[in-house]
Amino acid sequence: MGEPSNGAAGRGLRRDWTELPENAAGEMFMRLGAIEVLESAQKVCMKWRRICKNNTRMWRTIDMRNDGDLKALEYDLEIMCRHAVDLSRGELVDVNIEHFGTDQLLQYMNTEHRTL
């Protein structure tokens, strides 16, 4: 196998992903699921946390579908979903809470965010 075309691996160069421009980082985060943003991306650094918090466009659609074992998760999806709904600041248009949604969560979304 050959060396990467830019040769960066051979020279030991490293990228500091936290230095991405805010708009590029925001676009990258929009390709992640809500769980990945809440549990990983926003915890990298204060800059990424600010981007995740302030980019309401990223929170218009919240996909928290979980096909795995809910009991094996280390976090509470309902609490995470409420946080994601809050981050949408009333701009939420679509949400997927398949396999864990409760009547209380739906009531919260209806009460707090009437756009649904």
Side-chain angles (χ1 to χ4, degrees), residues 23-93:
N23 62 337
E27 290 296 321
M28 180 177 70
F29 299 154
M30 287 178 63
R31 297 176 192 273
L32 299 174
I35 295 171
E36 290 81 11
V37 172
L38 294 170
E39 283 300 305
S40 299
Q42 76 170 359
K43 295 180 179 181
V44 169
C45 64
M46 291 303 291
K47 177 182 177 182
W48 283 17
R49 181 173 175 79
R50 185 180 64 249
I51 293 167
C52 294
K53 181 179 177 184
N54 295 332
N55 187 351
T56 56
R57 191 175 71 138
M58 181 163 74
W59 301 105
R60 287 183 186 152
T61 299
I62 300 171
D63 186 357
M64 296 193 65
R65 170 186 41 227
N66 185 299
D67 298 327
D69 181 8
L70 294 176
K71 293 178 183 174
L73 296 177
E74 297 177 13
Y75 38 80
D76 186 323
L77 290 177
E78 186 166 339
I79 291 171
M80 290 176 69
C81 186
R82 286 174 184 249
H83 183 60
V85 168
D86 292 342
L87 288 169
S88 75
R89 294 190 187 102
E91 294 187 27
L92 182 62
V93 294

Side-chain angles (χ1 to χ4, degrees), residues 3-18:
E3 183 176 307
S5 60
N6 64 6
R11 293 191 303 263
L13 296 176
R14 298 181 63 157
R15 286 195 168 100
D16 184 355
W17 293 101
T18 61

